[in-house]
Structure formats: C-alpha cells, structure tokens
C-alpha cells in the first residue's frame, strides 16, 4: 500500500538534518538500511542545492517535500520558490577530472544521479519542482519478516 | 551540527586529523581549513580519522578530493581511515575508492605510508 509523508519548512541549513531524519524515519519500516542511507544523502544534496543555488546566499524561502513510498519504490517531490534550478542541466565531471582540477563542487549532483533511477524537473508558476525516483534495492528486517 | 578536527602526530611524520561530527555544507570549511593548514605547515602525509563522523555530504567529500592533487604533487597524500558503514557505502557508491586509499584502522593507514 502506498504511503505519503510530507514536510514543509524554510530552506535553511539548520533545517537540513531535520528533513533528512524525518524522511529516514518514515522509510525505516519498509526500506533497508542501504536505501535509507542513499535517500537521506539525496535529500541532503537537494536541500543544500536549493539553499545555495535556487535561493542563493543571504536569501531563503519555503521548501516543501512530499515522499510517496510503495513496496517497490520511493518517489520524492521537492518544491521551492527560488530561481530556476535544474539538477539535470549539470553534467557531473569524472572523478579523475575532479582531482586533476581540484574541483570540490558538483559532487552532490553526481551523487543524486547515481542514487536515483529517474530524476524529473519542471518549472511551474515561479516554482522549481524536482522529482526523484528510486526503486527499492533493500528491505527492512521487519518487512523481510526477520 | 558541529564539527571538530583535532590534529595529532604519529611516528614517521604522519599527521592524523581526527574528525568528529557531521560534515556537510555548513561544516565542511572546518575540514578544508584543517587540511589546508597541515599542507601549509608541510605536513603533507595525512590520515583522516573518520571514526567520529556518521555523515559526510558531497561538500565534505569535495573538501578531501580538492586537496589530493596539491598534496600528491609535493610528495604527500591523504588517506582515510575508520569510516562508519554508512559513510563507506557512499564512498564506494561515488567510486572514491579509485581515488583515495581507505583503511579499516588509523594504524593501518599510517603504516601504509612507510
């Protein structure tokens, strides 16, 4: 059965851990530890990108996150009112290029792309809507009947 | 969330940076500053002890990766040790194991410099 969890707050660095923990806990009875870790990372990176790039330094605004889980997958929609910011516009560099050029950015986008099976983006009425979909790769001990 | 980085010296001129806390956008500068300081003081053989860190975001990994070339070009390196399981999963997912030497313990990482 599908379950829906949602959280609306301010896009602020102090709230990122709260967001991560809220959704990680919601996943705990169905998804396995590996999926939870990766989804936590993905949420973290998306929130940090919205804070840094969509709203930008010194600015803030609302962020709303909706997570729909089923036994097969998790779908997370993140909406903000910042500047247009599409994670799909950025091509993550190869690891060796990162080292060679001393690049410390763009790793979050690379991480999100590795974690998600699908990423969708839409700009609608002054809002960014990014959707992440990840198929379930591991299940919780409870869901596995252990 | 806070981050502390404590510098320790081991035999053989290896600098151990003991990292405690969450490494994300708001704290990664602390890690970067510690690596930078060690590099400026010519302490170029570095081991990051990550046993006290349960969460490392891309900002934290970026701080490490960005310094590899500088350290290696002067004969040094940065090795990491004692990653928590959660951190190690991300390390492997990002294929950083092809860039940075990682060890189960600080002792093993230090020994690898010899």
């Amino acid at each position: 059965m599908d379950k829906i969890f949602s959280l609306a707050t301010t896009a602020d660095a102090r709230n990122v851990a709260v967001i991560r923990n809220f959704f990680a806990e919601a996943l705990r009875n169905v998804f396995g530890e590996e999926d939870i870790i990766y989804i936590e990372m993905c949420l973290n990176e998306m929130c940090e990108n919205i804070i840094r790039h969509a709203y930008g330094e010194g600015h803030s605004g609302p962020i709303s996150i909706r997570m729909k889980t089923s036994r097969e997958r998790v779908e997370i929609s993140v909406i903000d009112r910042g500047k247009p910011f599409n994670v799909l516009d950025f091509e993550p560099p190869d690891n060796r290029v990162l080292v060679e050029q001393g690049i410390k950015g763009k790793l979050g986008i690379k991480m999100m792309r590795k974690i998600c099976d699908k990423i969708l983006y839409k700009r609608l009425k002054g809002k960014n809507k990014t959707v992440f979909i990840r198929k379930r790769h591991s299940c919780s001990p409870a869901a596995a009947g252990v | 969330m806070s981050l502390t980085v404590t510098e320790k010296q081991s035999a053989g001129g290896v600098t151990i940076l003991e990292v405690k806390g969450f490494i994300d956008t708001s704290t990664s500068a602390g890690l970067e500053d510690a690596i930078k300081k060690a590099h400026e003081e010519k302490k170029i053989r570095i081991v990051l002890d990550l046993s006290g860190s349960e969460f490392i975001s891309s900002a934290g990994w970026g701080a490490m990766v960005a310094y590899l070339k500088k350290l290696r070009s002067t004969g040094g390196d940065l090795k990491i040790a004692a990653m928590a399981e959660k951190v190690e999963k991300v390390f492997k997912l990002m294929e950083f194991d092809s860039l940075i030497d990682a060890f189960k313990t600080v002792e093993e990482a230090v020994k690898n410099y010899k």
Side-chain angles (χ1 to χ4, degrees):
Chain A
M1 195 172 75
D2 291 355
K3 285 186 180 173
I4 292 172
F5 305 87
S6 56
L7 180 69
T9 184
T10 305
D12 184 294
R14 287 167 295 189
N15 291 335
V16 177
V18 176
I19 294 169
R20 260 190 346 245
N21 294 339
F22 174 82
F23 288 102
E25 276 312 306
L27 288 167
R28 201 137 326 260
N29 287 328
V30 182
F31 284 75
E33 202 51 38
E34 186 170 292
D35 282 321
I36 296 172
I37 291 164
Y38 291 157
I39 294 162
E40 250 189 283
M41 292 304 302
C42 196
L43 271 168
N44 184 85
E45 300 303 331
M46 191 61 214
C47 292
E48 289 191 347
N49 275 314
I50 289 170
I51 294 165
R52 282 209 314 254
H53 305 297
Y55 286 117
E57 205 173 323
H59 299 278
S60 189
I63 180 171
S64 91
I65 302 159
R66 179 182 182 270
M67 180 173 80
K68 184 175 158 188
T69 63
S70 67
R71 287 190 64 79
E72 292 79 31
R73 67 182 205 164
V74 58
E75 181 180 316
I76 300 172
S77 308
V78 184
I79 296 174
D80 67 81
R81 289 179 177 271
K83 288 179 287 194
F85 179 75
N86 181 359
V87 291
L88 300 170
D89 283 344
F90 301 88
E91 199 51 50
D94 178 79
N95 276 352
R96 303 228 167 258
V97 175
L98 292 172
V99 174
E100 194 52 40
Q101 298 181 5
I103 298 170
K104 54 183 176 182
K106 295 184 183 168
L107 280 173
I109 289 168
K110 187 169 191 162
M111 207 178 271
M112 285 189 267
R113 289 199 179 184
K114 277 188 170 281
I115 290 169
C116 300
D117 292 294
K118 196 183 253 185
I119 301 177
L120 306 163
Y121 172 82
K122 263 188 190 175
R123 179 77 181 173
L124 282 172
K125 296 177 182 172
K127 297 177 189 174
N128 294 306
K129 181 179 182 183
T130 310
V131 180
F132 305 94
I133 298 165
R134 178 177 162 89
K135 289 178 194 157
R136 189 176 74 166
H137 294 246
S138 60
C139 65
S140 76
V146 176
Chain B
M1 298 292 172
S2 63
L3 180 80
T4 58
V5 184
T6 310
E7 186 182 310
K8 294 177 175 177
Q9 293 300 318
S10 87
V14 177
T15 299
I16 300 161
L17 297 177
E18 194 182 86
V19 184
K20 281 188 180 164
F22 278 59
I23 314 175
D24 59 14
T25 299
S26 55
T27 61
S28 63
L31 173 62
E32 199 175 339
D33 288 348
I35 299 171
K36 188 179 172 194
K37 181 175 171 281
H39 181 246
E40 284 170 355
E41 291 171 359
K42 314 278 184 231
K43 297 167 183 169
I44 53 173
R45 287 153 40 110
I46 299 172
V47 170
L48 284 186
D49 175 2
L50 296 177
S51 60
S53 192
E54 284 289 321
F55 186 91
I56 304 178
S57 82
S58 65
W61 292 115
M64 297 178 216
V65 169
Y67 253 88
L68 285 176
K69 193 180 175 188
K70 278 185 188 169
L71 289 165
R72 287 174 182 167
S73 66
T74 48
D77 202 355
L78 182 143
K79 300 176 193 284
I80 56 181
M83 279 184 282
E85 193 186 343
K86 193 171 166 175
V87 171
E88 192 174 3
K89 279 196 184 294
V90 177
F91 177 78
K92 287 186 175 160
L93 172 84
M94 295 297 287
E95 298 171 51
F96 289 147
D97 45 353
S98 65
L99 299 179
I100 307 175
D101 292 334
F103 300 86
K104 289 280 175 209
T105 66
V106 172
E107 292 72 27
E108 283 175 56
V110 170
K111 203 173 164 186
N112 189 263
Y113 272 112
K114 289 173 187 167

